[in-house]
């Protein structure tokens, strides 16, 4: 509990509550464009890319998903800086997106068996990614509003980028064995 709040934070919270009942949405100010090769290369060592590599995504699909990730991060950051949304609302939205991923992940992994080939596991991971993207595309950041699909998709990728350090209710991945793969990756990086 905060002892005091800034006027901007109070006004932001007021606008969120009013917007919830008036159907007022957050205006996206980011203009989507394909990322340059240099921008894509800047993400090469990030877990978000590693997770996509674990399921065998081709470069053009990795670039497409990175575009959503890049612009969603920039848009959410701008909304926070300009007091258009509270950190608490972003966390609530992340919880809703995690719920959607969990449903897709459980469905996508229920037939995974110990002896399955890596190719089949990658295929299942691609299905989980696709199902998750379909599920989160229409998730509004602000209840009663419309949020561009790339916000939800990019936010889920942001959660995947934190899968090795996040709490269980925020960690997510595409490969059926993403949790184990994250541990191996962390151990390798520590050496």
């Amino acid at each position: 509990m905060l002892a005091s709040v800034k006027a901007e934070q109070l006004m932001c919270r007021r606008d969120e509550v009013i917007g919830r009942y008036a159907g007022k949405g957050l205006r996206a100010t980011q203009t989507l464009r394909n990322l340059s090769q240099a921008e894509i290369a800047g993400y090469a060592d990030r877990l978000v890319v590693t997770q996509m590599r674990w399921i065998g995504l081709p470069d053009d699909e990795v670039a497409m998903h990175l575009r959503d990730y890049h612009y969603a991060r920039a848009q959410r950051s701008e909304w926070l800086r300009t007091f258009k949304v509270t950190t608490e609302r972003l966390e609530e939205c992340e919880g809703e997106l995690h719920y959607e991923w969990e449903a897709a992940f459980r469905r996508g992994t229920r037939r995974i068996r110990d002896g399955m080939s890596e190719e089949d596991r990658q295929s299942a991971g691609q299905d989980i990614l696709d199902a998750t993207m379909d599920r989160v595309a229409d998730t509004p950041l602000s209840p009663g509003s419309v949020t561009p699909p790339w916000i939800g998709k990019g936010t889920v990728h942001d959660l995947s980028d934190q899968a090795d350090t996040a709490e269980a209710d925020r960690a997510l991945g595409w490969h059926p064995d993403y949790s184990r793969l994250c541990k191996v990756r962390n151990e390798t990086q520590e050496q």
Side-chain angles (χ1 to χ4, degrees), residues 68-80:
D68 292 343
Y69 168 76
H70 177 87
Y71 287 106
R73 284 175 53 107
Q75 186 64 69
R76 290 189 329 268
S77 177
E78 179 183 321
W79 284 335
L80 284 169

Side-chain angles (χ1 to χ4, degrees), residues 121-182:
R121 289 174 182 278
Q122 287 181 352
S123 179
Q126 290 177 17
D127 291 344
I128 292 165
L129 172 64
D130 293 343
T132 301
M133 293 298 110
D134 290 344
R135 293 179 68 96
V136 303
D138 296 326
T139 302
L141 183 66
S142 178
S145 68
V146 176
T147 305
W150 51 269
I151 299 286
K153 293 175 181 182
T155 301
V156 167
H157 285 303
D158 194 37
L159 292 172
S160 79
D161 193 44
Q162 303 168 43
D164 58 344
T165 59
E167 298 293 323
D169 67 337
R170 290 296 190 268
L172 60 80
W174 316 120
H175 192 284
D177 305 315
Y178 83 91
S179 185
R180 178 185 58 78
L181 293 169
C182 283

